[in-house]
Amino acid sequence: MTATIALVDDDRNILTSVSIALQTEGFLTRVYSEGESALKALIDNPPDLAVLDIKMPRMDGLELLRRLREKSQIPVIFLTSKDDELDEALGLAMGADDYIAKPFSQRLLIARIRAILRRTETALPTAEGGQPQPAEALVRGRLAMDPARHKVTWDGANVTLTVTEFLILETLAQRPGIVKTRNQLMDAAYQDDIYVDDRTIDSHIKRVRRKFRQVDPDFDAIETLYGAGYRFSDE
């Protein structure tokens, strides 16, 4: 099925050029030049992925993402100002799946979009006869993860994660007590040789912890081992 990409940017030249590039690659596109109308459309008729510019008048991309995350977990890529680390950190902390700094290569953007869309597809192992089987649920102590439904619970309480957050947590939880380096977590969440720096993984981990502490203020199952990486404890 053809994926639909929503583009939100107040620069109509970017909207036009990126939309044409995506359509050439076989995507359907929807374009919005300001945040308020985009927010309603993204909630009422969710696309497969949204690309949001941060610097927009009236409702900027950060506010748009904050309000969107109250209703939806669709994958989001942020377009940030070049070298604006604050924008990048805020975007990731608020639940963006990835970011690209302007000026950007359309080829890079399309590669990131394809990588995220592949991650959103449910992994369904094929059984004899070619029939798909549901992906196995993962239970580690008080944590339960159901990849087929993209569902996470802690002590039975739902925890809503983005695709990137889910993949990072799943990688940690698959082998409790085993340290995973940032590179290993990046490989799990960002495939196809797409480079992200350490700060990206750290920001996602902080957000995952924050979400779990909303249902359990004493949550401490994700441990930081400085200079080594992270590990999950199911004790």
Side-chain angles (χ1 to χ4, degrees):
M1 186 167 60
T2 302
T4 299
I5 311 300
L7 305 172
V8 187
D9 199 308
D10 62 325
D11 187 328
R12 292 192 176 275
N13 290 329
I14 289 179
L15 287 179
T16 300
S17 62
V18 174
S19 181
I20 291 173
L22 288 172
Q23 290 171 18
T24 300
E25 293 293 320
F27 294 104
L28 299 176
T29 60
R30 302 180 199 148
V31 298
Y32 308 93
S33 58
E34 52 89 20
E36 290 183 357
S37 62
L39 176 63
K40 185 176 188 308
L42 293 176
I43 292 173
D44 292 346
N45 188 16
D48 295 287
L49 181 146
V51 180
L52 311 181
D53 182 33
I54 285 187
K55 303 294 186 185
M56 294 187 293
R58 298 173 62 186
M59 182 188 294
D60 66 15
L62 292 171
E63 176 65 10
L64 173 55
L65 178 62
R66 185 188 69 78
R67 294 174 62 178
L68 177 64
R69 282 292 178 250
E70 294 174 355
K71 303 286 186 179
S72 172
Q73 294 298 315
I74 62 170
V76 167
I77 295 176
F78 257 141
L79 300 180
T80 73
S81 301
K82 187 177 181 182
D83 298 329
D84 197 335
E85 295 184 1
L86 178 61
D87 282 352
E88 296 166 4
L90 278 174
L92 292 169
M94 293 171 66
D97 290 272
D98 205 347
Y99 66 86
I100 295 178
K102 292 182 176 181
F104 60 90
S105 156
Q106 291 185 359
R107 182 177 299 178
L108 173 63
L109 176 60
I110 291 169
R112 295 283 182 94
I113 288 172
R114 290 193 185 281
I116 290 178
L117 290 177
R118 276 193 287 272
R119 284 150 44 198
T120 63
E121 294 174 356
T122 301
L124 295 175
T126 302
E128 276 186 49
Q131 295 300 314
Q133 295 178 331
E136 267 188 50
L138 179 69
V139 179
R140 297 289 185 267
R142 301 155 70 187
L143 173 72
M145 304 185 72
D146 185 348
R149 295 175 177 81
H150 191 78
K151 183 177 180 180
V152 180
T153 61
W154 180 258
D155 274 347
N158 288 327
V159 180
T160 303
L161 301 181
T162 67
V163 174
T164 305
E165 294 163 356
F166 189 99
L167 289 170
I168 290 172
L169 178 60
E170 184 181 36
T171 301
L172 290 169
Q174 282 172 342
R175 301 189 66 191
I178 301 299
V179 178
K180 293 289 185 179
T181 67
R182 289 175 175 82
N183 284 337
Q184 289 173 319
L185 295 176
M186 284 188 276
D187 288 343
Y190 294 86
Q191 301 166 6
D192 301 328
D193 299 323
I194 291 177
Y195 172 77
V196 294
D197 62 25
D198 290 354
R199 185 180 65 252
T200 302
I201 294 299
D202 293 341
S203 294
H204 286 309
I205 291 286
K206 287 178 183 177
R207 183 167 173 82
V208 170
R209 284 174 172 154
R210 189 180 306 123
K211 288 182 174 182
F212 275 87
R213 285 170 183 160
Q214 289 173 353
V215 301
D216 177 7
D218 297 323
F219 175 82
D220 61 356
I222 299 176
E223 302 176 59
T224 301
L225 286 88
Y226 293 99
Y230 297 95
R231 71 182 172 197
F232 179 83
S233 172
D234 59 355
E235 297 179 357

